[in-house]
Amino acid sequence: LPVYLFVGDERLLRDRAIEAVRAAALGSGIAAFNEDKLTAGETSVDRIVSAARTVPMMAPKRFVFVRSLERWDKQKADGDDESADDGGGTPLDDLHEYAKAPVDSTCLVLVATKLDGRRRLVALARKQGFLVECNPLEPNETVEFVIDSCAERGHEIDRETAALVAELVGPELSPILDAVERLSLFVGGKNPIDDEAVRQCVTRVRAADTWAVVGAVQNRDVAAALATLKEAYDPRDRGLPMLGAIAWSIRQLAKYKCALDEGAGGGEAARRAAAFSPSRARELAARARALRPRELERWLTVLAETDLALKGSKRAPDAVLEDMVTRLCRR
């Protein structure tokens, strides 16, 4: 298309899409003669429109890339309290006018993290089909991203392990991709990526360990929970991956319990909780039946407070985690 407007927080997939558009626009042409990369707020809108109207040289199209469009949206917001309709000759208004009748020999790519949906440029992009919304993936989509990224490198990974990776490393996709790369190098060849690989490369806590902690907490067995905690704790990472793994297990239980409370059957509840193995589904069912009223709510509160303490407190991380376990075990 002669114009694209990319809006959203998800950068990895956005950048891949923009690179595909760039390759299609420039073809085999000489990029040095036909490409401009500009930044809103540092470059005038007249310079952008002029670049877009320039004739390509030895290439099918010119490629004009403009980042940080939200700067102009923010300037308008900070400058007055009027409606978001930018009809007063703002840079976004000038781009809207260009986009109504763009030059076919140029591909203009406009990028913003966030733009007011009431802007005329956004409305035109949505109406004419050149708006590309780059929203963060939903949890299930993130799990699929992990599975696909592993498959691209020749590795199988079961859905529960993929869900654990997504929970520990996500929701941003770039760190997930980095974790998958490390896991791929660790297992090597075409070997599957399993829970032990995640334990070695992402966090020392295995899924079995986290469920052992949850089980000990449900049984009010402080000694067993602290023993598992001590075995898996790694002082190099301040306990954050371990907290993330425990939180993932408890959130999985919460999703299962909420699905049951909403009238879902056991199979549907397991699907919503991303528990894809029969053994995990049975374990969730047993733990859900043993839950006391409001127990999950209290657990999640304790986990949130522990997260804040690990990131902002001067206390030793292992002491913070031990305090978390004793609080979780308390009636």
Side-chain angles (χ1 to χ4, degrees), residues 2-280:
V3 182
Y4 287 92
L5 176 61
F6 287 83
V7 179
D9 294 319
E10 177 35 56
R11 297 184 178 184
L12 179 69
L13 299 183
R14 180 198 70 190
D15 291 346
R16 287 182 178 180
I18 290 173
E19 184 55 36
V21 170
R22 176 183 179 276
L26 294 175
S28 59
I30 302 174
F33 295 157
N34 297 284
E35 183 176 18
D36 288 290
K37 293 184 177 181
L38 309 168
T39 302
E42 298 176 9
T43 303
S44 70
V45 69
D46 291 339
R47 168 76 179 86
I48 292 170
V49 173
S50 176
R53 295 190 183 281
T54 301
V55 178
M57 181 182 295
M58 295 183 288
K61 285 180 179 286
R62 282 181 54 76
F63 180 77
V64 179
F65 174 78
V66 185
R67 65 173 68 85
S68 302
L69 215 65
E70 66 274 3
R71 291 185 177 185
W72 282 330
D73 195 34
K74 186 175 186 301
Q75 286 176 1
K76 177 70 176 178
D78 290 345
D80 57 50
D81 296 325
E82 296 175 5
S83 166
D85 187 342
D86 48 323
T90 67
L92 291 178
D93 186 51
D94 291 340
L95 290 175
H96 166 258
E97 291 300 315
Y98 172 83
K100 288 198 300 184
V103 176
D104 287 337
S105 60
T106 293
C107 179
L108 173 63
V109 172
L110 307 170
V111 180
T113 302
K114 186 177 181 180
L115 281 181
D116 192 320
R118 295 171 294 173
R119 299 292 184 192
R120 293 197 294 168
L121 176 63
V122 179
L124 180 69
R126 184 174 288 111
K127 180 179 179 181
Q128 296 191 357
F130 63 86
L131 175 66
V132 183
E133 295 186 87
C134 308
N135 299 319
L137 299 185
E138 295 294 329
N140 287 340
E141 294 173 328
T142 307
V143 174
E144 291 294 337
F145 178 82
V146 174
I147 294 172
D148 292 343
S149 298
C150 292
E152 288 172 2
R153 290 158 178 79
H155 307 289
E156 291 185 357
I157 184 171
D158 65 67
R159 295 189 68 89
E160 286 187 26
T161 305
L164 177 60
V165 172
E167 182 72 25
L168 292 177
V169 186
E172 292 186 15
L173 300 187
S174 292
I176 289 178
L177 207 57
D178 176 70
V180 169
E181 190 66 36
R182 284 186 279 124
L183 289 165
S184 175
L185 293 171
F186 177 79
V187 300
K190 303 296 181 182
N191 296 314
I193 294 173
D194 55 15
D195 186 57
E196 180 60 25
V198 175
R199 179 176 182 264
Q200 294 289 339
C201 297
V202 181
T203 175
R204 287 192 62 200
V205 185
R206 296 171 299 182
D209 292 335
T210 63
W211 281 110
V213 171
V214 174
V217 165
Q218 274 197 290
N219 296 328
R220 313 296 179 191
D221 191 342
V222 180
L226 288 175
T228 304
L229 193 73
K230 183 177 180 180
E231 179 184 347
Y233 175 71
D234 187 344
R236 294 171 297 180
D237 54 32
R238 294 184 55 82
L240 285 168
M242 178 158 36
L243 174 64
I246 294 172
W248 172 74
S249 297
I250 290 179
R251 279 200 289 269
Q252 190 178 45
L253 180 57
K255 291 175 183 177
Y256 186 91
K257 181 70 165 60
C258 287
L260 291 180
D261 291 346
E262 291 170 3
E268 173 62 16
R271 187 192 67 80
R272 293 191 200 177
F276 302 103
S277 69
S279 60
R280 179 56 55 81

